[in-house]
Amino acid sequence: MYPAPFEYHRPGSVEDAIALLTTYEDDAKLLAGGHSLIPLLKLRFAQPKHLIDVRHIASLSGVREVDGAIVIGATTTHATLERSPLLRQMLPILPEAASQIGDAQVRNMGTIGGSLAHADPSADLPAVMLAVGAEMTAVGPRGARTIRAEEFFVDLLTTALASDEVLTEIRILVPAVGTGGAYEKYPHPASRYALVGVAAVVTLAGDAMQRAQIAVTGIGSTPSRAREVERALAGRPADAETIAAASSHVADGIEVRGDLTGPAEWRGAVAREHAARAITRAVQRARGEWATGARSA
Ligand SMILES: Cc1cc2nc3c(=O)[nH]c(=O)nc-3n(C[C@H](O)[C@H](O)[C@H](O)COP(=O)(O)OP(=O)(O)OC[C@H]3O[C@@H](n4cnc5c(N)ncnc54)[C@H](O)[C@@H]3O)c2cc1C
């Protein structure tokens, strides 16, 4: 099916994009890589009269280090995340997850900002954002505000962004020494979306896990932190027994989805296995056994 007719806008700045959002209000939608929005337009699930293309706003793209944080522009593509030397050294969990998104075309067109703003319950990057403790910058007519990842993902396809706000960048603190991260995914065989995805970031103090941030995607209506797993890891030895016991809690508090790909019990079991794998590799990276950089998550 063809999309309903719309007017296409290509603003040159974030301010111009916000002005267009303010003018057209509910009749407007931002467009980035189009790999989630265009299918919705073609199915006519969304029929905005104005599409505001932010992909050509130069200030919204790129990965850089600023004052102890890694700052990623919202229109940075998955392919750029995958190849970024800075991320590969400092935050390899992110290129690792980005490299598993869809196929080459999806990664060349899709953007981190589009993925986070769309908030698909089976998307990969939201779980990584939760595990690394990212902060999102949203800019609108009332100025800029910071939204922590934990507050950003509200519900199925719903975020804390207001309809007149542009997600401009994602900020992640450079991980502390002794931190490692890993992403483990069970992809849908056709789309490659996560039937289950687990992101784990662990900071070691000697042989113990001082801190662990674990997030899961694909199993519930929204990505979420696995708090019970985190509690079961914190302060405990970083060994296989502890990791296996903690991972058994990965679906605690989540209404696990079942669908044609498998029942909820199966998804829960896959999540437990993938949590154990992700935490194990995160620990290895924290120890420098599986690292691409001295300080890496
Ligand atoms: C075949 C296929 C396979 C895929 N496989 C995967 C997969 O394995 N894992 C995965 O995670 N994803 C997957 N995706 C989704 C892909 O990652 C999308 O590119 C992504 O979800 C949306 O990014 P986009 O840049 O294309 O956004 P768009 O489609 O352009 O926009 C999506 C939504 O975000 C809003 N938006 C975009 N940018 C901004 C911004 N800066 N500020 C505020 N709102 C904004 C738009 O208004 C729209 O509502 C797949 C997609 C396809 C088509």
Side-chain angles (χ1 to χ4, degrees):
M1 217 197 298
Y2 292 106
F6 56 81
E7 200 176 324
Y8 173 82
H9 304 265
R10 190 189 277 199
S13 67
V14 173
E15 291 70 29
D16 289 349
I18 293 166
L20 287 163
L21 282 175
T22 309
T23 303
Y24 297 116
E25 298 183 329
D26 290 346
D27 285 336
K29 204 88 180 104
L30 295 178
L31 173 73
H35 271 53
S36 291
L37 184 57
I38 299 290
L40 291 180
L41 299 186
K42 286 186 158 187
L43 292 166
R44 302 210 174 184
F45 288 156
Q47 300 193 19
K49 294 192 174 68
H50 298 270
L51 276 190
I52 303 166
D53 188 347
V54 291
R55 207 158 55 93
H56 305 278
I57 300 176
S59 65
L60 287 183
S61 180
V63 183
R64 58 195 199 280
E65 192 180 353
V66 183
D67 299 334
I70 292 162
V71 178
I72 304 169
T75 62
T76 306
T77 63
H78 306 320
T80 301
L81 300 178
E82 185 183 349
R83 295 182 198 130
S84 159
L86 180 66
L87 290 176
R88 282 176 172 231
Q89 191 200 350
M90 297 292 213
L91 214 60
I93 185 175
L94 192 41
E96 182 171 286
S99 72
Q100 297 175 58
I101 293 176
D103 54 25
Q105 180 185 328
V106 174
R107 295 194 293 276
N108 280 330
M109 290 299 290
T111 67
I112 182 170
S115 175
L116 302 181
H118 189 61
D120 189 294
S122 298
D124 297 290
L125 299 182
V128 178
M129 296 299 107
L130 286 166
V132 300
E135 290 183 341
M136 326 300 176
T137 304
V139 182
R142 297 162 298 282
R145 66 185 178 119
T146 300
I147 311 169
R148 293 164 58 229
E150 283 166 61
E151 281 133 28
F152 189 83
F153 304 104
V154 175
D155 205 344
L156 185 80
L157 303 176
T158 308
T159 70
L161 285 172
S163 58
D164 56 2
E165 285 182 318
V166 179
L167 171 61
T168 56
E169 63 185 29
I170 295 96
R171 186 174 284 262
I172 302 162
L173 286 181
V174 171
V177 174
T179 300
Y183 182 68
E184 285 284 340
K185 169 177 182 177
Y186 189 104
H188 186 284
S191 73
R192 314 305 293 170
Y193 271 102
L195 291 178
V196 170
V198 180
V201 175
V202 172
T203 304
L204 294 179
D207 282 338
M209 288 176 278
Q210 186 184 44
R211 189 159 188 252
Q213 296 204 163
I214 317 297
V216 59
T217 186
I219 69 172
S221 59
T222 185
S224 56
R225 288 269 292 275
R227 301 275 181 196
E228 291 306 318
V229 180
E230 296 175 1
R231 270 192 272 277
L233 293 173
R236 306 289 307 279
D239 56 30
E241 206 181 351
T242 306
I243 292 171
S247 299
S248 68
H249 296 289
V250 71
D252 285 10
I254 299 174
E255 196 176 324
V256 179
R257 283 188 285 144
D259 57 24
L260 284 177
T261 56
E265 296 73 27
W266 171 80
R267 244 194 178 96
V270 175
R272 289 190 283 279
E273 173 59 28
H274 281 64
R277 289 185 198 174
I279 298 163
T280 302
R281 278 203 305 112
V283 167
Q284 289 170 344
R285 268 199 176 126
R287 287 184 178 137
E289 297 165 7
W290 222 89
T292 47
R295 295 192 306 166
S296 59

